């Protein structure tokens, strides 16, 4: 087997292991973002929520999405799995 192929395979395996280490974090970002989006969709219909409270929910959603954007491909895969 070619040395370059072995090296590339080893690097790929190391990369996959490092991404698996963060998988739970990305799953939490997905879960939190979806939960907060449901809260927001309910809040905009409720008279006791003011624009400041809705803006706070939107900031929390943005924070989760920012976390997901650190690894777009892995995050997208988790989002699709959540559907």
């Amino acid at each position: 087997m070619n040395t370059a192929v072995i090296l590339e395979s080893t690097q790929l395996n190391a990369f996959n292991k490092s991404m698996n280490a963060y998988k739970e974090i990305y799953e939490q970002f997905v879960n939190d973002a979806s939960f907060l989006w449901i809260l927001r969709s309910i809040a905009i219909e409720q008279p006791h929520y003011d624009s400041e409270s809705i803006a706070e929910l939107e900031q929390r959603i943005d924070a989760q999405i920012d976390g997901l954007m650190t690894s777009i491909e892995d995050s997208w895969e988790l989002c699709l799995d959540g559907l």
Side-chain angles (χ1 to χ4, degrees):
M1 189 175 235
N2 188 348
T3 307
V5 173
I6 294 172
L7 181 60
E8 184 177 314
S9 176
T10 304
Q11 290 172 338
L12 185 58
N13 287 337
F15 178 74
N16 285 337
K17 286 181 183 176
S18 70
M19 288 313 300
N20 288 335
Y22 296 108
K23 184 177 180 183
E24 290 180 9
I25 295 170
Y26 290 116
E27 287 174 343
Q28 190 65 47
F29 284 143
V30 170
N31 290 335
D32 288 351
S34 62
F35 175 74
L36 291 169
W37 185 259
I38 291 169
L39 283 181
R40 183 198 175 278
S41 66
I42 293 169
I44 60 174
E45 301 290 330
Q46 301 299 317
H48 61 278
Y49 276 92
D50 58 5
S51 59
E52 185 177 318
S53 298
I54 294 172
E56 182 181 319
L57 276 173
E58 290 174 348
Q59 288 175 347
R60 292 174 63 193
I61 293 167
D62 284 344
Q64 302 307 311
I65 292 172
D66 286 344
L68 289 170
M69 295 300 289
T70 61
S71 179
I72 296 171
E73 291 179 13
D74 293 322
S75 297
W76 183 248
E77 188 175 315
L78 290 170
C79 289
L80 290 176
D81 290 344
L83 293 176

